Short mmCIF file of all heavy atoms in Angstrom, two decimals:
data_model
loop_
_atom_site.label_atom_id
_atom_site.label_comp_id
_atom_site.label_asym_id
_atom_site.label_seq_id
_atom_site.Cartn_x
_atom_site.Cartn_y
_atom_site.Cartn_z
N ALA A 1404 110.36 114.28 70.11
CA ALA A 1404 109.09 114.95 70.39
C ALA A 1404 107.91 114.29 69.80
O ALA A 1404 106.85 114.86 69.56
CB ALA A 1404 109.19 116.40 69.81
N THR A 1405 108.02 113.01 69.50
CA THR A 1405 106.94 112.28 68.81
C THR A 1405 106.14 111.46 69.76
O THR A 1405 105.42 110.55 69.32
CB THR A 1405 107.53 111.37 67.72
OG1 THR A 1405 108.50 110.51 68.30
CG2 THR A 1405 108.20 112.23 66.64
N CYS A 1406 106.23 111.68 71.08
CA CYS A 1406 105.39 110.88 72.01
C CYS A 1406 103.95 111.19 71.81
O CYS A 1406 103.58 112.30 71.36
CB CYS A 1406 105.82 111.19 73.48
SG CYS A 1406 105.49 112.86 73.94
N VAL A 1407 103.11 110.28 72.10
CA VAL A 1407 101.68 110.40 71.91
C VAL A 1407 101.14 111.40 72.92
O VAL A 1407 101.36 111.28 74.11
CB VAL A 1407 100.98 109.08 72.12
CG1 VAL A 1407 99.47 109.23 71.96
CG2 VAL A 1407 101.46 108.04 71.10
N LEU A 1408 100.46 112.46 72.42
CA LEU A 1408 99.98 113.49 73.29
C LEU A 1408 99.04 113.01 74.30
O LEU A 1408 98.97 113.49 75.45
CB LEU A 1408 99.32 114.63 72.48
CG LEU A 1408 100.22 115.27 71.41
CD1 LEU A 1408 99.49 116.42 70.79
CD2 LEU A 1408 101.52 115.75 72.02
N GLY A 1409 98.27 111.97 73.99
CA GLY A 1409 97.29 111.44 74.96
C GLY A 1409 97.96 110.82 76.13
O GLY A 1409 97.30 110.63 77.17
N SER A 1410 99.24 110.49 76.05
CA SER A 1410 99.93 109.88 77.20
C SER A 1410 100.45 110.89 78.17
O SER A 1410 100.97 110.53 79.21
CB SER A 1410 101.08 109.01 76.68
OG SER A 1410 102.14 109.80 76.16
N LEU A 1411 100.42 112.19 77.84
CA LEU A 1411 100.90 113.18 78.73
C LEU A 1411 100.07 113.21 80.00
O LEU A 1411 98.81 113.24 79.92
CB LEU A 1411 100.82 114.57 78.07
CG LEU A 1411 101.74 114.78 76.84
CD1 LEU A 1411 101.44 116.07 76.21
CD2 LEU A 1411 103.19 114.68 77.26
N LEU A 1412 100.71 113.20 81.15
CA LEU A 1412 100.01 113.21 82.40
C LEU A 1412 99.97 114.67 82.88
O LEU A 1412 100.93 115.20 83.43
CB LEU A 1412 100.71 112.32 83.45
CG LEU A 1412 100.81 110.88 82.98
CD1 LEU A 1412 101.65 110.08 83.97
CD2 LEU A 1412 99.39 110.28 82.89
N LEU A 1413 98.84 115.29 82.71
CA LEU A 1413 98.77 116.74 82.89
C LEU A 1413 98.09 117.01 84.24
O LEU A 1413 96.88 117.27 84.29
CB LEU A 1413 98.03 117.39 81.73
CG LEU A 1413 98.67 117.04 80.36
CD1 LEU A 1413 97.81 117.52 79.23
CD2 LEU A 1413 100.07 117.63 80.25
N ALA A 1414 98.73 116.95 85.35
CA ALA A 1414 98.20 117.18 86.60
C ALA A 1414 97.76 118.61 86.81
O ALA A 1414 98.42 119.47 86.35
CB ALA A 1414 99.20 116.88 87.70
N SER A 1478 85.68 117.99 75.33
CA SER A 1478 85.79 117.23 76.60
C SER A 1478 87.27 117.18 77.02
O SER A 1478 88.16 116.88 76.24
CB SER A 1478 85.21 115.83 76.40
OG SER A 1478 85.59 115.03 77.46
N SER A 1479 87.47 117.44 78.30
CA SER A 1479 88.83 117.46 78.84
C SER A 1479 89.56 116.13 78.58
O SER A 1479 90.73 116.11 78.22
CB SER A 1479 88.79 117.74 80.33
OG SER A 1479 90.10 117.85 80.89
N ASP A 1480 88.85 115.02 78.76
CA ASP A 1480 89.46 113.72 78.57
C ASP A 1480 89.86 113.41 77.08
O ASP A 1480 90.77 112.67 76.82
CB ASP A 1480 88.54 112.61 79.06
CG ASP A 1480 88.36 112.63 80.55
OD1 ASP A 1480 89.21 113.20 81.25
OD2 ASP A 1480 87.32 112.08 81.02
N ASP A 1481 89.14 114.04 76.18
CA ASP A 1481 89.33 113.76 74.77
C ASP A 1481 90.24 114.80 74.10
O ASP A 1481 90.64 114.60 72.91
CB ASP A 1481 87.97 113.75 74.02
CG ASP A 1481 87.05 112.67 74.50
OD1 ASP A 1481 87.56 111.65 75.06
OD2 ASP A 1481 85.81 112.87 74.42
N TYR A 1482 90.55 115.89 74.78
CA TYR A 1482 91.17 117.04 74.10
C TYR A 1482 92.54 116.69 73.44
O TYR A 1482 92.74 117.06 72.29
CB TYR A 1482 91.36 118.16 75.11
CG TYR A 1482 92.01 119.39 74.49
CD1 TYR A 1482 91.30 120.23 73.60
CD2 TYR A 1482 93.29 119.75 74.78
CE1 TYR A 1482 91.94 121.29 72.99
CE2 TYR A 1482 93.92 120.84 74.25
CZ TYR A 1482 93.19 121.62 73.34
OH TYR A 1482 93.79 122.74 72.75
N ASP A 1483 93.39 116.04 74.18
CA ASP A 1483 94.74 115.82 73.60
C ASP A 1483 94.70 114.96 72.36
O ASP A 1483 95.39 115.28 71.38
CB ASP A 1483 95.65 115.11 74.66
CG ASP A 1483 95.89 115.99 75.87
OD1 ASP A 1483 95.99 117.20 75.71
OD2 ASP A 1483 95.95 115.47 76.99
N ASP A 1484 93.89 113.89 72.34
CA ASP A 1484 93.75 113.08 71.16
C ASP A 1484 93.17 113.85 70.01
O ASP A 1484 93.62 113.77 68.82
CB ASP A 1484 92.92 111.84 71.43
CG ASP A 1484 93.62 110.84 72.32
OD1 ASP A 1484 94.90 110.89 72.39
OD2 ASP A 1484 92.97 110.03 73.00
N LYS A 1485 92.13 114.63 70.31
CA LYS A 1485 91.49 115.44 69.24
C LYS A 1485 92.40 116.47 68.68
O LYS A 1485 92.48 116.70 67.47
CB LYS A 1485 90.17 116.08 69.77
CG LYS A 1485 89.37 116.81 68.72
CD LYS A 1485 88.06 117.29 69.29
CE LYS A 1485 87.24 118.03 68.20
NZ LYS A 1485 86.84 117.15 67.10
N LEU A 1486 93.18 117.11 69.57
CA LEU A 1486 94.12 118.13 69.12
C LEU A 1486 95.17 117.53 68.22
O LEU A 1486 95.45 118.07 67.14
CB LEU A 1486 94.81 118.79 70.32
CG LEU A 1486 95.86 119.82 70.02
CD1 LEU A 1486 95.26 121.04 69.29
CD2 LEU A 1486 96.53 120.29 71.32
N MET A 1487 95.67 116.38 68.56
CA MET A 1487 96.67 115.72 67.71
C MET A 1487 96.12 115.40 66.36
O MET A 1487 96.78 115.58 65.30
CB MET A 1487 97.21 114.47 68.44
CG MET A 1487 98.33 113.75 67.64
SD MET A 1487 99.10 112.42 68.59
CE MET A 1487 97.73 111.26 68.71
N THR A 1488 94.88 114.91 66.35
CA THR A 1488 94.20 114.55 65.09
C THR A 1488 94.03 115.76 64.20
O THR A 1488 94.32 115.74 63.00
CB THR A 1488 92.88 113.91 65.35
OG1 THR A 1488 93.05 112.69 66.10
CG2 THR A 1488 92.15 113.53 64.06
N LEU A 1490 95.72 118.66 64.29
CA LEU A 1490 96.97 119.23 63.83
C LEU A 1490 97.64 118.37 62.73
O LEU A 1490 98.35 118.87 61.93
CB LEU A 1490 97.94 119.36 65.04
CG LEU A 1490 97.54 120.41 66.07
CD1 LEU A 1490 98.51 120.43 67.22
CD2 LEU A 1490 97.43 121.81 65.49
N ARG A 1502 98.07 122.68 78.08
CA ARG A 1502 98.06 122.70 79.53
C ARG A 1502 99.34 122.19 80.18
O ARG A 1502 99.33 121.65 81.31
CB ARG A 1502 96.85 121.92 80.08
CG ARG A 1502 96.54 120.62 79.41
CD ARG A 1502 95.23 120.06 79.81
NE ARG A 1502 94.82 118.93 79.04
CZ ARG A 1502 93.64 118.31 79.14
NH1 ARG A 1502 92.80 118.68 80.07
NH2 ARG A 1502 93.33 117.27 78.39
N SER A 1503 100.45 122.28 79.48
CA SER A 1503 101.76 121.98 80.11
C SER A 1503 102.86 122.52 79.21
O SER A 1503 102.71 122.66 77.99
CB SER A 1503 101.93 120.48 80.29
OG SER A 1503 102.30 119.84 79.07
N SER A 1505 105.54 120.78 78.65
CA SER A 1505 105.98 119.67 77.87
C SER A 1505 105.25 119.60 76.55
O SER A 1505 105.82 119.32 75.47
CB SER A 1505 105.82 118.33 78.64
OG SER A 1505 106.67 118.29 79.75
N LEU A 1506 103.94 119.80 76.62
CA LEU A 1506 103.12 119.79 75.38
C LEU A 1506 103.55 120.94 74.47
O LEU A 1506 103.70 120.75 73.25
CB LEU A 1506 101.65 119.87 75.74
CG LEU A 1506 100.64 119.90 74.59
CD1 LEU A 1506 100.85 118.71 73.71
CD2 LEU A 1506 99.25 119.98 75.11
N ASN A 1509 106.81 119.90 72.83
CA ASN A 1509 106.54 118.86 71.79
C ASN A 1509 106.03 119.49 70.52
O ASN A 1509 106.56 119.21 69.42
CB ASN A 1509 105.49 117.87 72.31
CG ASN A 1509 106.12 116.68 73.04
OD1 ASN A 1509 106.87 115.94 72.48
ND2 ASN A 1509 105.81 116.54 74.30
N LEU A 1510 105.04 120.34 70.65
CA LEU A 1510 104.41 120.90 69.42
C LEU A 1510 105.31 121.92 68.72
O LEU A 1510 105.23 122.04 67.50
CB LEU A 1510 103.06 121.47 69.78
CG LEU A 1510 102.01 120.48 70.28
CD1 LEU A 1510 100.73 121.18 70.66
CD2 LEU A 1510 101.74 119.41 69.23
N ASN A 1607 100.43 113.38 90.05
CA ASN A 1607 101.79 112.83 90.03
C ASN A 1607 102.88 113.88 90.37
O ASN A 1607 104.05 113.72 90.04
CB ASN A 1607 102.08 112.19 88.69
CG ASN A 1607 101.74 113.12 87.55
OD1 ASN A 1607 102.05 114.32 87.56
ND2 ASN A 1607 101.05 112.60 86.51
N SER A 1793 107.61 114.87 79.55
CA SER A 1793 106.35 114.17 79.70
C SER A 1793 106.56 112.66 79.68
O SER A 1793 105.82 111.87 80.34
CB SER A 1793 105.33 114.54 78.63
OG SER A 1793 105.86 114.31 77.33
N ASP A 1794 107.55 112.19 78.92
CA ASP A 1794 107.88 110.77 78.91
C ASP A 1794 108.33 110.31 80.27
O ASP A 1794 107.97 109.22 80.74
CB ASP A 1794 109.01 110.45 77.88
CG ASP A 1794 108.57 110.72 76.47
OD1 ASP A 1794 107.33 110.72 76.20
OD2 ASP A 1794 109.45 110.95 75.62
N VAL A 1796 107.54 111.68 83.13
CA VAL A 1796 106.35 111.72 84.01
C VAL A 1796 105.56 110.44 83.84
O VAL A 1796 105.11 109.84 84.83
CB VAL A 1796 105.45 112.97 83.73
CG1 VAL A 1796 104.17 112.87 84.55
CG2 VAL A 1796 106.22 114.22 84.04
N ALA A 1797 105.39 110.01 82.62
CA ALA A 1797 104.63 108.76 82.35
C ALA A 1797 105.32 107.56 82.97
O ALA A 1797 104.68 106.67 83.57
CB ALA A 1797 104.43 108.56 80.86
N GLN A 1800 104.93 107.69 86.75
CA GLN A 1800 103.61 107.35 87.18
C GLN A 1800 103.40 105.87 87.20
O GLN A 1800 102.83 105.31 88.14
CB GLN A 1800 102.58 107.97 86.20
CG GLN A 1800 101.09 107.69 86.50
CD GLN A 1800 100.49 108.66 87.46
OE1 GLN A 1800 100.89 109.81 87.53
NE2 GLN A 1800 99.47 108.23 88.17
N GLU A 1801 103.87 105.18 86.20
CA GLU A 1801 103.71 103.70 86.13
C GLU A 1801 104.49 103.02 87.21
O GLU A 1801 103.94 102.10 87.90
CB GLU A 1801 104.21 103.21 84.75
CG GLU A 1801 103.29 103.66 83.59
CD GLU A 1801 103.93 103.38 82.24
OE1 GLU A 1801 104.99 102.78 82.22
OE2 GLU A 1801 103.31 103.73 81.23
#
Side-chain angles (χ1 to χ4, degrees):
T1405 56
C1406 64
V1407 178
L1408 301 184
S1410 70
L1411 294 173
L1412 300 174
L1413 305 172
S1478 165
S1479 183
D1480 292 339
D1481 299 333
Y1482 180 72
D1483 294 326
D1484 289 338
K1485 185 173 180 64
L1486 178 63
M1487 183 171 66
T1488 299
L1490 293 177
R1502 45 190 170 183
S1503 79
S1505 293
L1506 180 55
N1509 269 298
L1510 294 178
N1607 50 46
S1793 59
D1794 294 336
V1796 174
Q1800 178 89 27
E1801 292 170 3

